[in-house]
Amino acid sequence: MATSSTSSARPAAQSPRSLSGLLPFVRPYWLAIALALLFLTLAAAATLLFPVALRHLIDGGLVSADKGQAAMGLRGYFVQLFGVAVALGVFSAARFYLVSWLGERITADLRNAVYAHVLRQSPAFFEHTQTGEVISRLSTDTTLVQTVVGSSLSLGLRNAVMGIGALGMLVWTNPQVMLQVLLILLLVVVPSTWFGRRVRRLSRASQDRVADASAIATEVINAIPVVQSHTAEAREASRFADATERAFGTAVRRTRARAALVAFVIISTAALLLWGLYQGTQAVLAGSITPGHLGQTVVYTIILAGAVAVLGEVYGDLLRAAGASERLMELLATESPIRSPAQPVNPPWPEGGSAVLFESVDFRYPSRPDDPTLRGVSLRVNPGETVALVGPSGAGKTTALALLLRQYDPQGGRILLDGAPIDGMDLQHLRQRIGIVPQEPVIFSGSALDNIRYGRPEASDAEVRAAAQAAYAEEFIERLPQGYDTFMGERGVRLSGGQRQRIAIARAILKNAPLLLLDEATSALDAQSERMVQAALESAMRDRSTLVVAHRLATVQRADRIVVLDHGRVVEQGTHAELVALGGVYARLAALQFQT
């Protein structure tokens, strides 16, 4: 129930450079970016032309001595202003569309990349990263990135172009005044940078606290029946409230710092504007510039001041998005230790079942490095043979199946499938050769048809129905409201435990792999259903190898061979009769179960 370690505090970088991790997602759309930059520049240029047109209007149309000529000239000047406005509107609309499209497209690509990367992680990844943490990064963090790419970044670039252009025009027309303005501008930028660094650190911390709350919510909502059965609703609500309060407290500190940044930028830019205006009025009074020149200077000063203010806001957005980008890049940089080799060696597909060989396998779970789960396990399954793994809880039975599926790699020894080491095979090829019925079957929120063909999506409806019949699932599926097209509900909440298990068995039968793994495949069935499904499984096990994990020994008595695990070691092997006669671990387990 602890929060993810990935949400712990980390040293934050001192600039928005973390956004550079987005470059691989930006490069494919260079043409759209170039067009957006072109329209952005044209829109900024149109804005910068407005003060020039205004100067002409004032000096040529309002200050002229000939009133008739001035009236005629005003029309032309207003037409110029309207032309500038039309150009600004068209270029701004084109820029807005392209930038918004880029924001949506890049964010979608980023979400897809992160999700696909997470799906390739080994179970070891989820031993230290909670599901809610991943969901938070997929939703909240990518939304922040979308805000920057689709809005703030464009706004910042546009204002940067306009600010530089306005500054250039002011330096050209009023060089002495602008030297003083530049000094004031430096006094604005330096403190803003310091404020920005603090905002960024607090933004990262705020996103981590939100992820903690999401992790708690995801964990608890997925276990609602357990929570309610232990009357823990109030306790869990309080735990979530504590997490959201911590997120709120961090967000308040971030907002306070950003508010101080905004106030400083607005006050300093207002001072910048008023200083420029004061110097301009003094120049008009001295007769060194015309009123139109003053109007032009005022507008350029307003554009410069507005650009600085907007850039301060955008910088805050960039810093916040940099924290989100860091978290996403961390996730994308996580490398799964379980990968396909560069040059895989895949053995031919066997006809009569696969051969499995464990050679002195040692294994410890990454989260429990000091607690060996398997110790020197050697095990052989011949083609077409059914081998049962039994033993006390924690003996390593399910772990052996996880290693065979290469969800983990052993620390010692090796595992061979059909004569080839599984770590030298292509991962997809390896797992396509194995069908599995897990102890806790997973039902997806689709139809019964989709759930059964999950492992073989190209299967026809007739093949799906045949697999359901073999698993004795058809009789309850046809009683559902829409039969095979019935929506199963999230995690199969509309089905009983036994029905979910029969769906999982039908899925494994349809996959028709040469190796079948059964992990307590009948544990959730009543006696009548178990007899039916056991008969179906025995039929499904023909012409393939089967490795069965079971606690209920009645289900494995007819196995070709029974392997007994205890404390991670193979302690006995043989048939049911041989092991009972041996009087060891299996005999004691059998005596307890059958006497009961």
Side-chain angles (χ1 to χ4, degrees):
M1 304 274 282
T3 55
S4 168
S5 63
T6 57
S7 295
S8 59
R10 304 172 181 84
Q14 301 302 312
S15 72
R17 290 177 193 151
S18 301
L19 291 169
S20 62
L22 299 175
L23 286 177
F25 299 94
V26 173
R27 286 193 192 103
Y29 307 108
W30 63 268
L31 181 58
I33 293 170
L35 285 173
L37 289 174
L38 172 63
F39 287 122
L40 181 151
T41 305
L42 291 173
T47 304
L48 293 172
L49 282 175
F50 187 85
V52 176
L54 182 65
R55 178 181 177 178
H56 291 161
L57 172 67
I58 295 173
D59 289 343
L62 296 179
V63 186
S64 175
D66 187 342
K67 301 301 179 184
Q69 185 179 357
M72 294 297 294
L74 279 174
R75 297 177 185 175
Y77 294 128
F78 275 108
V79 169
Q80 289 178 10
L81 286 170
F82 180 70
V84 171
V86 170
L88 178 61
V90 171
F91 296 145
S92 296
R95 173 195 60 84
F96 175 79
Y97 172 79
L98 285 168
V99 169
S100 298
W101 183 89
L102 282 166
E104 296 287 351
R105 181 68 269 167
I106 291 169
T107 304
D109 291 348
L110 183 59
R111 280 198 182 107
N112 292 339
V114 172
Y115 184 67
H117 188 74
V118 169
L119 292 182
R120 291 193 293 270
Q121 298 303 306
S122 71
F125 171 82
F126 297 97
E127 290 182 18
H128 58 79
T129 303
Q130 290 183 306
T131 305
E133 168 80 6
V134 176
I135 298 301
S136 173
R137 297 191 188 195
L138 278 170
S139 54
T140 307
D141 291 352
T142 53
T143 300
L144 283 173
V145 171
Q146 178 183 352
T147 300
V148 168
V149 177
S151 174
S152 299
L153 191 58
S154 166
L155 194 62
L157 288 172
R158 177 173 176 268
N159 280 275
V161 172
M162 289 197 306
I164 293 170
L167 184 61
M169 292 297 292
L170 286 169
V171 169
W172 180 47
T173 55
N174 300 279
Q176 292 181 349
V177 173
M178 286 315 300
L179 285 175
Q180 301 172 45
V181 171
L182 282 174
L183 290 175
I184 299 174
L185 193 60
L186 287 175
L187 295 177
V188 175
V189 171
V190 174
S192 297
T193 303
W194 181 85
F195 272 117
R197 289 173 178 174
R198 176 164 174 74
V199 169
R200 183 178 181 280
R201 287 194 295 270
L202 290 171
S203 295
R204 173 63 190 259
S206 176
Q207 287 151 222
D208 284 341
R209 298 293 75 76
V210 170
D212 291 342
S214 296
I216 292 172
T218 302
E219 180 182 47
V220 172
I221 288 173
N222 285 333
I224 282 294
V226 176
V227 172
Q228 293 176 345
S229 65
H230 290 82
T231 63
E233 297 94 333
R235 188 166 70 250
E236 292 296 349
S238 176
R239 192 161 72 99
F240 182 77
D242 289 342
T244 55
E245 280 302 310
R246 288 193 294 273
F248 172 74
T250 308
V252 166
R253 291 196 297 275
R254 182 201 74 219
T255 305
R256 189 183 301 131
R258 190 166 179 183
L261 174 62
V262 170
F264 175 78
V265 169
I266 289 175
I267 293 170
S268 57
T269 50
L272 182 67
L273 171 62
L274 292 173
W275 176 257
L277 182 59
Y278 173 76
Q279 291 293 325
T281 54
Q282 294 301 307
V284 171
L285 292 175
S288 58
I289 63 173
T290 65
H293 192 164
L294 173 61
Q296 175 181 296
T297 301
V298 168
V299 175
Y300 276 130
T301 306
I302 291 172
I303 291 173
L304 176 60
V308 173
V310 171
L311 286 173
E313 278 284 302
V314 168
Y315 187 63
D317 288 338
L318 287 176
L319 293 170
R320 195 173 177 207
S325 178
E326 265 187 4
R327 286 160 46 90
L328 291 166
M329 294 309 115
E330 281 176 5
L331 204 54
L332 286 172
T334 304
E335 291 291 340
S336 173
I338 309 299
R339 296 190 295 270
S340 297
Q343 296 181 330
V345 177
N346 301 320
W349 196 273
E351 293 296 331
S354 288
V356 178
L357 180 62
F358 283 64
E359 291 184 343
S360 302
V361 171
D362 297 318
F363 178 70
R364 292 175 173 81
Y365 281 98
S367 57
R368 306 193 300 272
D370 299 326
D371 181 18
T373 305
L374 295 180
R375 314 177 192 208
V377 170
S378 293
L379 167 67
R380 178 184 294 277
V381 179
N382 297 315
E385 187 178 26
T386 297
V387 174
L389 297 179
V390 302
S393 295
K397 304 181 296 296
T398 299
T399 299
L401 303 191
L403 291 176
L404 191 51
L405 282 163
R406 212 175 161 225
Q407 293 174 344
Y408 301 89
D409 280 337
Q411 286 83 30
R414 61 176 188 162
I415 303 172
L416 288 82
L417 183 65
D418 296 316
I422 62 172
D423 58 359
M425 297 173 62
D426 178 76
L427 264 179
Q428 287 199 346
H429 181 86
L430 166 69
R431 291 168 179 170
Q432 284 168 355
R433 300 166 75 109
I434 302 174
I436 183 168
V437 180
Q439 185 173 355
E440 297 179 4
V442 175
I443 303 299
F444 297 95
S445 54
S447 67
L449 207 65
D450 294 335
N451 268 280
I452 293 173
R453 62 155 59 103
Y454 189 78
R456 194 176 146 212
E458 75 282 0
S460 66
D461 290 358
E463 290 173 316
V464 171
R465 291 175 181 273
Q469 289 173 354
Y472 290 86
E474 187 172 61
E475 53 92 14
F476 78 80
I477 290 175
E478 290 188 334
R479 291 202 305 269
L480 295 173
Q482 286 84 41
Y484 281 88
D485 294 321
T486 302
F487 178 71
M488 297 285 97
E490 187 176 3
R491 293 177 290 115
V493 294
R494 301 178 69 177
L495 302 178
S496 69
Q499 289 172 337
R500 288 197 295 271
Q501 202 128 28
R502 279 185 274 175
I503 291 285
I505 292 169
R507 184 187 295 161
I509 291 173
L510 180 65
K511 189 175 182 181
N512 197 28
L515 176 62
L516 182 62
L517 306 181
L518 306 176
D519 188 1
E520 297 286 353
T522 60
S523 61
L525 303 180
D526 55 59
Q528 180 180 0
S529 296
E530 182 179 2
R531 283 195 295 271
M532 291 189 297
V533 173
Q534 195 67 43
L537 287 173
E538 288 177 5
S539 174
M541 287 187 288
R542 292 175 193 154
D543 301 324
R544 61 174 53 87
S545 306
T546 308
L547 200 53
V548 184
V549 168
H551 283 102
R552 291 158 60 178
L553 303 185
T555 64
V556 301
Q557 291 183 54
R558 295 165 66 180
D560 297 319
R561 187 157 37 93
I562 299 171
V563 177
V564 184
L565 291 173
D566 191 18
H567 293 93
R569 300 183 185 276
V570 175
V571 294
E572 295 170 0
Q573 290 192 56
T575 64
H576 171 74
E578 290 170 348
L579 293 176
V580 169
L582 190 62
V585 175
Y586 182 86
R588 290 193 296 273
L589 292 172
L592 286 171
Q593 289 194 23
F594 295 139
Q595 284 175 8
T596 302

